[in-house]
Amino acid sequence: MKLTIIGSGYVGLVSAVCFAKIGHEVSCMDIDKDKIAKLKSGQIPIYEPGLQEILIENAQNISFTSDLEESLELSQAVFIAVGTPQDEDGSADLSYVLEASEQIAKLSAQDKVIVTKSTVPVGTSKKIEQIIADSGNKNKLSVASNPEFLREGSAIQDFMDPDRIVIGVSDQKSEDILLQIYQSFAPEKIVKTDATTSELIKYASNSFLAAKISFINEMADLCEKIGGNIKHLSNAIGLDSRIGEKFLNPGPGFGGSCFPKDIMAILNVAKKSNVNLSVISSVINSNQVRKNRMSDKIANNFPGGCVKNKTIALLGLAFKAKTDDIRYSAALEIAKNLSKDGAIIKASDPEAIENSRIALKNYANISFYDDFYDAIKNCDAIVIATEWSDFKDLDFDKVKNITNSRKIIDLRNLFDEELITSKGFEYDFVGKRSS
Ligand code: UGA
């Protein structure tokens, strides 16, 4: 089927390339002409494992353009995958989505289903329907919602092997077209609902996952104080199939472009309807204080809890592994705190150095190293802030040769406590029992 994808950002690009892989003919449209020129020459402007390869393999099924009218020609469904940045009050800024809808309504010369793929507040589909009604376009333009559940770093796998595909539709035609688009997936994975519920499902999923992380982070705090073992706790509660083992890794707090933005947005939706989402409000608080708590945890490894003039090898800058994304990254907040407190920071990350260099340019005493052993050289402590597997393979003998420090502060609980201490290192981690 011929599909149009508007927006070649993360969601748009991954969806476009995966739709091409499952055999659709995809026209990818973006107003950014430079981006389109790069994509035409096979260059992918984001870091996502596997994306480039799939694009090359399926190049015959995908085209790129900045001309919306050309992109819409003969397509049966148009997916809106433009950004929905956070407004100052925390609500999602819909201006790009609504602008795209107006343009689609103006330029569509055949019947189409307009599908929101971007995460949008509840009620957006109705707004788009109104835009279409106001446009006077005589073709049948239906509106549907089909939220994405892609994780950065494993987006291809999430698209190709999803837990579920949610389609929010208001008429038979949209339902038929969306079912046809996803016909290569197992039918039991498809959840059919109305557009409003579909929009809400996306926010509810991200909010629940964020709450799960904050819950385990606070359990780690409790373990630290009363002498429990967070790894055993996390494992044991996760074995209860009603709870599930995933997203129970304690850490420095969740970040990224989705959880922080989406939980603020759902709160905003609820506020407008006078509904009190007290659990979600608490998650926001819990995650905010976490970054300072983690900075204090690092400082408490030094006499008097003072990091002034201490050299810290900060391993990891991205908000999680396998991405160069630093948006709302806990690692970055920690770097800022440590810098303000007078520490000398030697930072390293497999993918996120360039982005971090810009984000941290106003902070003193932060230098960047491509090779993380260069960051470790002569440091006073090693802090693991992102769960890159590269750090898991740390060569302890090599570390001993390049620094006198024997302190590892692991904010991602990557290592086995016994193993590290047997190698002669002091090991502090999230949830470590205070003895
Ligand atoms: C998240 C959701 O997982 C996706 O399903 C969703 O499609 C996406 O948001 C979105 O709305 O677009 P993503 O932000 O890429 O995906 O990253 P996650 O893997 O969910 O991680 C989010 C944050 O939680 C990271 O900072 C990560 O380090 C942290 N985290 C995750 C933990 O601290 N502990 C865990 O156990 C899991």
Side-chain angles (χ1 to χ4, degrees):
M1 189 185 294
K2 163 104 196 267
L3 308 176
T4 302
I5 313 281
I6 302 184
S8 299
Y10 190 81
V11 172
L13 212 48
V14 171
S15 306
V17 168
C18 291
F19 279 137
K21 185 175 163 64
I22 59 172
H24 297 298
E25 185 193 334
V26 181
S27 169
C28 219
M29 185 271 163
D30 199 293
I31 48 169
D32 183 338
K33 292 198 167 101
D34 286 345
K35 201 188 253 183
I36 291 296
K38 280 195 182 132
L39 286 164
K40 276 185 171 169
S41 68
Q43 277 172 269
I44 297 263
I46 53 168
Y47 173 79
E48 180 61 32
L51 191 59
Q52 179 107 35
E53 290 81 348
I54 303 184
L55 172 63
I56 293 166
E57 280 162 23
N58 297 281
Q60 74 286 356
N61 281 352
I62 188 162
S63 59
F64 297 97
T65 177
S66 288
D67 183 336
L68 181 60
E69 196 166 7
E70 172 196 316
S71 184
L72 289 171
E73 211 177 320
L74 301 179
S75 74
Q76 285 182 268
V78 42
F79 288 82
I80 301 179
V82 296
T84 52
Q86 201 172 325
D87 260 345
E88 272 165 28
D89 65 353
S91 64
D93 174 357
L94 274 184
S95 50
Y96 299 116
V97 172
L98 301 181
E99 168 68 21
S101 309
E102 274 169 29
Q103 290 301 314
I104 297 165
K106 193 170 145 200
L107 298 170
S108 289
Q110 307 92 20
D111 295 354
K112 275 183 214 318
V113 185
I114 302 169
V115 192
T116 50
K117 197 81 176 127
S118 306
T119 305
V120 291
V122 179
T124 302
S125 296
K126 293 211 165 69
K127 283 191 180 155
I128 300 176
E129 275 167 4
Q130 192 56 49
I131 287 174
I132 292 160
D134 293 347
S135 75
N137 190 317
K138 294 283 175 286
N139 296 295
K140 175 142 182 56
L141 301 175
S142 319
V143 179
S145 156
N146 171 223
E148 54 83 22
F149 298 101
L150 311 174
R151 283 164 303 167
E152 289 186 32
S154 45
I156 306 289
Q157 193 205 335
D158 289 343
F159 190 101
M160 300 308 292
D161 185 19
D163 289 332
R164 77 299 207 192
I165 294 166
V166 176
I167 57 170
V169 288
S170 51
D171 59 30
Q172 195 58 46
K173 171 119 190 273
S174 322
E175 181 179 335
D176 291 347
I177 288 188
L178 277 156
L179 290 178
Q180 218 182 315
I181 292 171
Y182 288 109
Q183 67 183 354
S184 55
F185 295 89
E188 62 273 15
K189 292 212 165 170
I190 296 186
V191 178
K192 197 196 84 178
T193 181
D194 57 275
T196 300
T197 310
S198 169
E199 290 165 348
L200 194 54
I201 287 170
K202 170 67 194 211
Y203 280 142
S205 300
N206 276 358
S207 303
F208 192 89
L209 291 168
K212 206 172 172 187
I213 297 167
S214 290
F215 177 86
I216 201 68
N217 284 344
E218 292 191 352
M219 285 301 119
D221 292 348
L222 190 58
C223 283
E224 244 169 60
K225 282 279 183 268
I226 64 173
N229 182 318
I230 187 62
K231 282 194 182 169
H232 294 174
L233 183 145
S234 167
N235 179 37
I237 65 171
L239 284 171
D240 183 330
S241 58
R242 291 168 303 175
I243 296 175
E245 65 189 325
K246 292 183 182 154
F247 275 65
L248 283 180
N249 302 319
F254 58 79
S257 63
C258 307
F259 288 175
K261 171 170 76 73
D262 290 355
I263 55 180
M264 289 302 284
I266 195 174
L267 271 190
N268 227 283
V269 170
K271 202 166 136 197
K272 283 187 187 142
S273 314
N274 279 326
V275 176
N276 179 15
L277 299 184
S278 63
V279 173
I280 298 179
S281 302
S282 307
V283 170
I284 293 175
N285 278 341
S286 173
N287 200 54
Q288 257 162 8
V289 298
R290 186 116 201 114
K291 285 138 199 180
N292 290 343
R293 250 192 64 73
M294 291 297 110
S295 309
D296 292 346
K297 183 177 179 62
I298 295 167
N300 286 335
N301 277 272
F302 295 100
C306 177
V307 290
K308 197 165 169 40
N309 295 327
K310 298 292 178 206
T311 303
I312 293 174
L314 183 65
L315 304 192
L317 293 161
F319 82 97
K320 65 171 191 177
K322 294 197 240 168
T323 177
D324 62 351
D325 197 338
I326 53 163
R327 284 175 285 180
Y328 292 97
S329 168
L332 248 61
E333 293 311 307
I334 291 166
K336 290 176 188 172
N337 286 342
L338 294 174
S339 160
K340 282 189 216 150
D341 291 343
I344 299 152
I345 299 153
K346 296 173 78 188
S348 184
D349 188 286
E351 295 295 334
I353 289 183
E354 285 324 307
N355 290 340
S356 306
R357 217 188 274 282
I358 301 165
L360 295 172
K361 68 176 188 307
N362 295 328
Y363 290 82
N365 288 325
I366 306 183
S367 50
F368 299 90
Y369 298 83
D370 289 329
D371 182 337
F372 62 82
Y373 289 106
D374 289 338
I376 290 173
K377 208 180 262 174
N378 298 326
C379 72
D380 294 312
I382 299 171
V383 172
I384 312 276
T386 307
E387 72 280 27
W388 284 100
S389 56
D390 311 45
F391 304 147
K392 217 174 172 173
D393 299 330
L394 202 66
D395 179 339
F396 296 103
D397 293 328
K398 189 167 173 181
V399 171
K400 281 181 173 171
N401 284 333
I402 56 176
T403 176
N404 292 327
S405 166
R406 297 289 176 266
K407 249 188 238 305
I408 299 182
I409 305 158
D410 181 0
L411 304 183
R412 293 291 187 167
N413 291 7
L414 284 191
F415 299 109
D416 179 65
E417 187 178 6
E418 264 179 43
L419 175 87
I420 291 226
T421 45
S422 73
K423 300 265 179 197
F425 285 85
E426 277 173 47
Y427 184 52
D428 189 9
F429 57 93
V430 183
K432 182 184 167 124
R433 297 170 295 276
S434 45
S435 46

